[in-house]
Amino acid sequence: MYFKPLSEEDRKKIAIYRDEKIFKAFFIANFRVLENYAILFVKDKHIAEDIVSEVMWKMWHLGSDLVHVASVESYLSRAVKNKSLNYLRIKQASYVGHEELTDYPCTDEVLSPERLLISDERIKQIEEAIEQLPSKTQQAFKLVKDENRSYKAAAEIMGISTKTVDRHIQIALQKLWNTLKKKK
């Protein structure tokens, strides 16, 4: 990575005197270098642009604290890397519903775990099994698993404790597992 370095004098002008012209020149000179670095992690130009813009925005808002940063270039590199990794961590943890999985074709010759577990027939069995759950258990299950709510949020909606929500989820999973084992 090759940065256009920020001189001590320019750093003070940005940090103390809030010189937008110098900051903008530094931003433009180093944006592509940081963007290419972010792309190494996120593999998406638009996401990388957003990450770099946010990091540079944060640098601008450091204000007088920017004077105390030992190396602006190291700070920016580390911030872009951390923001990229945080993005990947959040993206990885996102829930994928069965509707989205049907967009991925599987051939009949390849019996992948997804193919065995997620088929139209299997989805119907799961939905039927959910419908057979007691109403409170069904409500807790749908809030947590379908709507991606936390146990705490589900508990507040239902007017019960988080431990009770946890118990409802345990019961639901056990009943679903037993129902689906029988229907194999």
Side-chain angles (χ1 to χ4, degrees):
M1 241 189 301
Y2 298 102
F3 282 98
K4 178 185 177 241
L6 186 64
S7 69
E8 282 298 316
E9 182 181 329
D10 286 346
R11 186 191 322 195
K12 286 180 184 175
K13 286 180 182 177
I14 291 172
I16 297 169
Y17 303 112
R18 312 300 291 154
D19 191 324
E20 289 182 30
K21 184 178 177 184
I22 293 173
F23 177 77
K24 185 176 180 180
F26 179 76
F27 179 98
I28 292 169
N30 292 298
F31 186 83
R32 292 289 170 234
V33 173
L34 291 169
E35 179 188 39
N36 289 335
Y37 186 51
I39 289 172
L40 292 173
F41 298 101
V42 298
K43 310 291 189 236
D44 184 306
K45 182 176 176 34
H46 300 293
I47 300 296
E49 286 175 357
D50 289 345
I51 288 170
V52 173
S53 294
E54 287 178 33
V55 167
M56 293 298 267
W57 178 85
K58 186 176 178 185
M59 179 190 141
W60 171 255
H61 283 85
L62 281 174
S64 60
D65 290 339
L66 183 62
V67 174
H68 305 294
V69 174
S71 167
V72 173
E73 294 78 16
S74 295
Y75 166 81
L76 291 173
S77 298
R78 191 170 50 252
V80 166
K81 179 181 178 182
N82 289 342
K83 195 143 196 71
S84 298
L85 294 175
N86 284 340
Y87 166 79
L88 293 173
R89 181 178 47 82
I90 291 167
K91 180 182 170 200
Q92 178 184 14
S94 66
Y95 171 77
V96 177
H98 64 76
E99 301 88 17
E100 293 170 79
L101 291 175
T102 58
D103 293 340
Y104 296 98
C106 285
T107 61
D108 288 336
E109 299 84 40
V110 179
L111 293 175
S112 68
E114 292 83 9
R115 179 72 180 171
L116 292 172
L117 293 175
I118 314 264
S119 66
D120 289 338
E121 184 179 316
R122 204 68 165 151
I123 290 169
K124 287 177 187 168
Q125 289 175 346
I126 292 169
E127 289 171 347
E128 288 171 6
I130 291 170
E131 293 302 319
Q132 292 174 8
L133 294 171
S135 63
K136 285 283 190 181
T137 303
Q138 188 181 120
Q139 183 184 10
F141 184 81
K142 286 181 178 179
L143 287 170
V144 172
K145 299 298 181 181
D146 286 346
E147 296 179 21
N148 256 356
R149 295 183 189 258
S150 66
Y151 282 26
K152 183 179 179 183
E156 289 172 5
I157 290 168
M158 296 176 66
I160 58 177
S161 73
T162 54
K163 288 188 181 219
T164 306
V165 170
D166 180 49
R167 185 67 190 132
H168 279 301
I169 299 299
Q170 289 175 13
I171 291 167
L173 292 174
Q174 186 62 46
K175 286 187 177 186
L176 290 172
W177 176 252
N178 289 337
T179 302
L180 294 174
K181 270 194 337 190
K182 290 176 192 173
K183 291 185 179 184
K184 269 190 173 179

